Amino acid sequence: LAPNYAMAKSFPDVDPAWLSSKTRKPRLRQVLEALAADVVCLQEVQHPDEWQALLGEMGYEFAFAARPSRQDGCAIAWRRDRLRIVDQFVVDFDGAIPASAQHSVQSRFARRNVALVVELVLPSLPADLESSKASRLVVATTHLYWGKEHEDVRAWQLQ
């Protein structure tokens, strides 16, 4: 999603006009409207205020987790008429690297990736059911590190 990553060198088989935010954003909105999903998970979200406004127009609430020292992050959106947020937290994968790890390990595994987790509930539940864990929906999204030479990093991030 992030305009910073929609580069012709990364997508050589795609017409550069299709990589423009002016072209992609309306198309993304069309896809989201056609899906009419209750919950949407997005990665590489740049300009979260714009996405929050766009999704808000479509009837969604929005949570966002910024990647450290980056211009993008992960987002989860849910239909405000169907679900209500109870809790959310962010997992900073770099923060999970032991401080005692060797410098070479820290530099290989510190990739500024995050995960976002939200806990949602139906807004119309009676109070006694709302407090029950069985009535909760937990949704997570992440952007794992990419590249075939970093499979060990992705495997570690998944733990």
Side-chain angles (χ1 to χ4, degrees), residues 7 22 62 78 108 137 142 148:
M7 300 176 289
K22 290 179 182 179
F62 179 89
W78 57 93
R108 177 155 181 86
L137 173 65
T142 187
K148 62 183 178 184

Side-chain angles (χ1 to χ4, degrees), residues 1 3-4 13 18 23 25 32 34 54 57 61 63 76 78 80 87 95 99 101-102 105 112 114 117 146 148 150:
L1 291 178
N4 283 356
D13 297 331
W18 287 100
T23 302
K25 202 163 209 176
L32 292 171
L54 178 118
E57 291 171 9
E61 292 292 327
I76 299 175
W78 57 93
R80 72 173 68 91
D87 200 5
Q102 295 177 1
V105 171
R112 300 178 289 188
V114 296
V117 182
W146 59 277
K148 62 183 178 184
H150 288 90

Side-chain angles (χ1 to χ4, degrees), residues 21-70:
S21 289
K22 290 179 182 179
T23 302
R24 291 185 316 123
K25 202 163 209 176
R27 295 263 187 212
L28 289 168
R29 181 181 180 134
Q30 288 174 347
V31 169
L32 292 171
E33 287 174 338
L35 289 173
D38 289 340
V39 178
V40 176
C41 296
L42 302 170
Q43 300 80 36
E44 296 183 359
V45 174
Q46 195 172 340
H47 311 297
D49 292 344
E50 292 176 17
W51 280 98
Q52 186 171 17
L54 178 118
L55 290 164
E57 291 171 9
M58 297 170 59
Y60 289 94
E61 292 292 327
F62 179 89
F64 178 76
R67 293 176 62 197
S69 303
R70 301 285 251 182

Side-chain angles (χ1 to χ4, degrees), residues 39-41 76-77 83 89 116-120 137-141:
V39 178
V40 176
C41 296
I76 299 175
L83 298 160
F89 66 92
L116 173 63
V117 182
V118 298
E119 185 176 6
L120 304 169
L137 173 65
V138 176
V139 180
T141 188

